[in-house]
Amino acid sequence: MTHPVPGVHIPERTDVLIIGGGPAGVVSALALARLGIDHLLVERRAQPREHPKAHELSARSIEILTELGVDARQLAREASDQETAERVLFCETVDREFGRIELGAPAIAAKYHRHLRGPWPLLNVSQSEVEKVLRSTALSAGMRLALQHRADIVNQDEDGIRCRITSRTGATHTLTARYVIVADGASGQGRIALGVPMRGPEKIQDFVSAYFTNDLRQLVKTPAKLYWILNPDCYGTLICHHPAKRWVMHVPIYDGETVDDYPREVFAQRIRRAFGQDDLDVRIESISSWRMSAQVAERFRVGRAFLIGDAAHRFPPTGGLGMNSGMADAHNLCWKLAAVIRGRASAELLDSYETERRPVIERNCEESLRNYEEIFDVMRAFGLDPAALPLLTRLRTAPPFRHLEAWTDGAFSRLCSYPARWRLAGSHRRPATAARVRAAIADQTEHFDRIGLELGYRYPVNGTLAGPGPAVEPPGGGVGEYVPATAPGCRLPHVWLDPRHTRSSRDVIDYRAYVLLHDADLDLNGDRGGVRALELAVGCPVRPVSLRHAGMPQAERPRVCRGLGLDAGGALLIRPDGHIARRWRGLGEPLADLSSGPVSLQHRSARGPVALNRRNPSTY
């Protein structure tokens, strides 16, 4: 799956250097390979880290990866089954449930089925497995990869960015890149070298997690991807990445505790209590610690360098938006880099990366933090104070209570936590409490059902988009609701182009070109002069696609046009990343008029910057 490290050739120059081989970095390489752009990815690790981190691939990410040539079936092979992926439990132990969220419920499942081209509303799959599939796909597509190497930014000027590449043996090389994509994660040095600070809380909570590989399919009565364990004797979050082989338990650690307080046997005992199985042989593979933050970089661009993924933003994992946002960062940026590198577009086009992505990122960060804060409402519904957890920890870990805890073999902790256990156990006998708990759990649904965030964000109208529109907001609806729209900036909606559901509007997207999807009775392929004028305006190749020649029955065209928001004879100009750049009520003649309107920033061409006419009444 990977190139052997000895003998990796480090060139003196490349168009794009990617620092970091996590999901955002590898998607960048995959995108650049698809665009035919010379690049090099430098990654310090020989293999993806096996200890699972993120575990949810969103509908939008699956779309992006599919459009970049990734076979989603490979990802699905290492994902959990869909029943597991679509359920979340709140419980005392795994089999003693207080309530649940069913993401496979008809009302929720129907909207994903209605708005998605593919069969999966999400994939519950470990980040490590995602990285393996992405890396394999990108290598087969021509990705250049230097494993067990480190890249340090030295300086930059008008000629490029000079970087020092150091191998595991200590050998160094100097490389000059026209552009650098910094994707080395939250703890990477790339952002620091660029002098970009983070804004927002650096520490919300520290956690320690244990990765174990038991096959628990026969032991678990109710499959779920998440079990929020509220029992104070084994409090934490149990995540099922795959019921047969990948599980992780996350436990918050408070002042007075360290990772050393959670050796394998302590974690094993906690996991046994969570499953209610005192004799479970827990196969712990690794223990790791991590810090929850909610931060966004002050800038996403410093000259020729761009921050993406965790190097640019760090979210609480509540909402599963971190890894998915990083993939969308790469998808937004790389086609623009290609247009500039090929001399089709002005370097000013690259400013739109931050202009478009920052509002999306800031909202995702806010929603993730809100999800984390609101999860404690479930505890409050029981009459429990979340602040008691750190207080109990400080009491248990303070001398002489630490010695008392060890001497009583945990009986001291069980005594301290008795009031909480009594409230939890008694909730079934108190109808009012049970009703509050069910309501609090139901209120967590948007934490997991977030189709509006995934599909409904709208890039602000600026240099790469033409037409009126506000800043990034879902066009109607909220986090859990998606209203399809084809206003500039919106994601192209999925509409079946044939009654047998074999071809979707999403299938026309081409990451190597803009697509002019139209219902006009014109032979645009034969009018290359007009298409060329549009290509000069947008700085990319343009591929016309006619609905009238899509092989659909004539009776289907009105339905398709309604779904795409097109009047008869209208058109949509779709960017390589699948967002609408512009739409027309009618194309008319001549095709050269298509270049009117502020489709993009002024782009370089053989004739110099294209002057664009902003007064076309047929545009809306």
Side-chain angles (χ1 to χ4, degrees):
M1 184 174 295
T2 59
H3 291 318
V5 174
V8 172
H9 173 64
I10 306 298
E12 292 184 0
R13 300 189 69 89
T14 189
D15 284 329
V16 181
L17 173 66
I18 305 165
I19 303 177
V26 181
V27 169
S28 298
L30 187 64
L32 292 170
R34 191 166 185 82
L35 293 162
I37 297 298
D38 184 66
H39 64 282
L40 175 70
L41 185 148
V42 175
E43 165 56 37
R44 298 181 68 172
R45 296 179 182 273
Q47 298 288 347
R49 188 181 182 192
E50 289 295 332
H51 192 103
K53 296 169 66 178
H55 67 101
E56 189 165 306
L57 204 58
S58 72
R60 179 62 180 138
S61 291
I62 296 170
E63 281 186 346
I64 288 171
L65 296 180
T66 300
E67 290 161 13
L68 292 178
V70 177
D71 185 351
R73 293 172 296 182
Q74 294 184 34
L75 296 164
R77 290 189 192 108
E78 287 300 325
S80 74
D81 58 279
Q82 280 301 108
E83 182 186 7
T84 296
E86 293 174 351
R87 184 176 294 121
V88 176
L89 258 60
F90 294 78
C91 45
E92 183 175 1
T93 61
V94 167
D95 286 339
R96 297 181 67 181
E97 176 187 337
F98 296 118
R100 65 178 68 180
I101 294 172
E102 292 281 4
L103 298 173
I108 296 177
K111 60 187 174 185
Y112 283 89
H113 178 73
R114 183 165 61 251
H115 297 305
L116 296 178
R117 166 67 172 89
W120 300 288
L122 61 93
L123 285 173
N124 181 46
V125 56
S126 295
Q127 177 177 324
S128 56
E129 302 307 311
V130 172
E131 290 182 31
K132 292 173 186 176
V133 171
L134 296 185
R135 186 178 291 187
S136 175
T137 305
L139 285 170
S140 66
M143 178 177 84
R144 295 169 57 197
L145 173 65
L147 294 174
Q148 291 185 278
H149 282 65
R150 169 177 173 165
D152 295 293
I153 296 173
V154 177
N155 56 49
Q156 63 172 302
D157 55 27
E158 293 182 359
D159 184 51
I161 301 186
R162 271 161 293 284
C163 299
R164 183 174 57 254
I165 313 296
T166 307
S167 74
R168 64 173 180 174
T169 63
T172 62
H173 306 264
T174 299
L175 176 148
T176 300
R178 292 182 66 178
Y179 296 98
V180 170
I181 297 176
V182 178
D184 55 355
S187 59
Q189 296 299 304
R191 178 185 56 79
I192 296 172
L194 293 170
V196 179
M198 300 293 280
R199 302 301 183 197
E202 189 272 335
K203 177 182 175 180
I204 298 171
Q205 179 64 58
D206 286 329
F207 290 84
V208 61
S209 66
Y211 166 43
F212 57 106
T213 55
N214 296 67
D215 182 350
L216 299 174
R217 288 174 292 181
Q218 301 303 315
L219 187 62
V220 173
K221 181 175 66 177
T222 306
K225 66 178 174 184
L226 280 170
Y227 300 85
W228 297 92
I229 309 295
L230 302 178
N231 185 342
D233 293 335
C234 52
Y235 180 77
T237 306
L238 187 65
I239 302 179
C240 175
H241 291 239
H242 193 296
K245 50 188 173 183
R246 281 188 289 275
W247 295 78
V248 180
M249 188 170 196
H250 296 269
V251 176
I253 55 176
Y254 302 102
D255 293 341
E257 287 185 307
T258 68
V259 176
D260 294 337
D261 292 314
Y262 289 88
R264 289 175 183 265
E265 184 48 42
V266 169
F267 246 124
Q269 183 61 28
R270 203 174 187 105
I271 293 166
R272 293 186 193 105
R273 289 174 181 168
F275 280 92
Q277 299 287 329
D278 292 338
D279 58 349
L280 179 63
D281 180 19
V282 184
R283 297 197 294 272
I284 295 178
E285 303 294 334
S286 56
I287 294 174
S288 181
S289 61
W290 59 280
R291 173 165 291 179
M292 181 186 291
S293 305
Q295 295 187 302
V296 177
E298 188 176 81
R299 288 179 290 166
F300 290 0
R301 179 184 184 183
V302 180
R304 293 176 174 268
F306 299 85
L307 301 175
I308 70 170
D310 286 355
H313 43 77
R314 308 166 186 172
F315 306 155
T318 38
L321 297 169
M323 176 177 68
N324 294 297
S325 295
M327 290 183 180
D329 292 343
H331 194 235
N332 179 284
L333 174 62
C334 287
W335 69 269
K336 298 172 182 177
L337 283 172
V340 173
I341 287 168
R342 289 202 169 101
R344 290 178 175 269
S346 161
E348 292 175 305
L349 173 65
L350 301 176
D351 290 333
S352 68
Y353 164 62
E354 178 166 351
T355 302
E356 293 178 353
R357 289 302 297 165
R358 176 174 289 280
V360 180
I361 293 305
E362 289 179 342
R363 185 176 185 197
N364 287 350
C365 187
E366 291 168 4
E367 289 292 337
S368 298
L369 182 57
R370 182 177 67 85
N371 288 337
Y372 175 71
E373 293 169 344
E374 290 186 355
I375 205 75
F376 293 106
D377 290 345
V378 178
M379 294 183 64
R380 296 184 184 96
F382 284 101
L384 300 174
D385 183 0
L389 284 170
L391 290 174
L392 179 62
T393 300
R394 283 197 289 272
L395 177 63
R396 191 180 67 243
T397 57
F401 297 114
R402 182 182 288 270
H403 302 291
L404 181 61
E405 174 79 348
W407 181 63
T408 61
D409 193 25
F412 176 69
S413 284
R414 292 193 292 275
L415 177 63
C416 292
S417 64
Y418 174 78
R421 286 186 285 114
W422 178 82
R423 286 184 177 275
L424 292 170
S427 64
H428 297 294
R429 299 190 300 269
R430 295 187 291 274
T433 300
R436 285 198 305 271
V437 170
R438 287 194 298 270
I441 291 173
D443 286 344
Q444 307 299 317
T445 301
E446 282 192 348
H447 180 152
F448 308 98
D449 172 25
R450 50 186 182 274
I451 191 171
L453 280 183
E454 294 176 18
L455 306 182
Y457 61 85
R458 177 182 183 181
Y459 288 142
V461 174
N462 61 11
T464 62
L465 302 165
V472 176
E473 290 292 340
V479 171
E481 295 297 329
Y482 167 62
V483 180
T486 52
C490 295
R491 160 193 172 270
L492 176 70
H494 155 63
V495 177
W496 290 115
L497 299 182
D498 66 310
R500 301 178 65 180
H501 292 185
T502 61
R503 191 169 186 233
S504 163
S505 57
R506 302 286 311 170
D507 295 335
V508 308
I509 295 169
D510 186 345
Y511 195 64
R512 296 162 295 192
Y514 275 70
V515 170
L516 182 65
L517 182 63
H518 68 91
D519 185 53
D521 190 15
L522 296 171
D523 181 12
L524 300 186
N525 287 300
D527 184 6
R528 291 307 300 172
V531 172
R532 176 59 178 161
L534 185 56
E535 289 178 337
L536 289 172
V538 300
C540 287
V542 174
R543 183 169 64 87
V545 175
S546 172
L547 290 175
R548 299 196 181 204
H549 301 94
M552 74 176 74
Q554 187 69 16
E556 292 292 311
R557 277 183 48 230
R559 174 189 61 80
V560 172
C561 286
R562 283 195 305 272
L564 294 174
L566 288 177
D567 295 329
L572 296 174
L573 185 63
I574 306 159
R575 301 192 324 183
D577 59 6
H579 285 260
I580 308 298
R582 183 172 175 180
R583 66 180 184 177
W584 291 268
R585 294 186 187 278
L587 293 184
E589 298 277 5
L591 183 57
D593 288 344
L594 289 173
S595 63
S596 62
V599 174
S600 65
L601 291 166
Q602 291 185 339
H603 298 300
R604 293 194 184 99
S605 70
R607 302 180 312 201
V610 178
L612 302 178
N613 173 16
R614 297 172 182 265
R615 297 177 296 174
N616 184 352
S618 68
T619 305
Y620 70 110

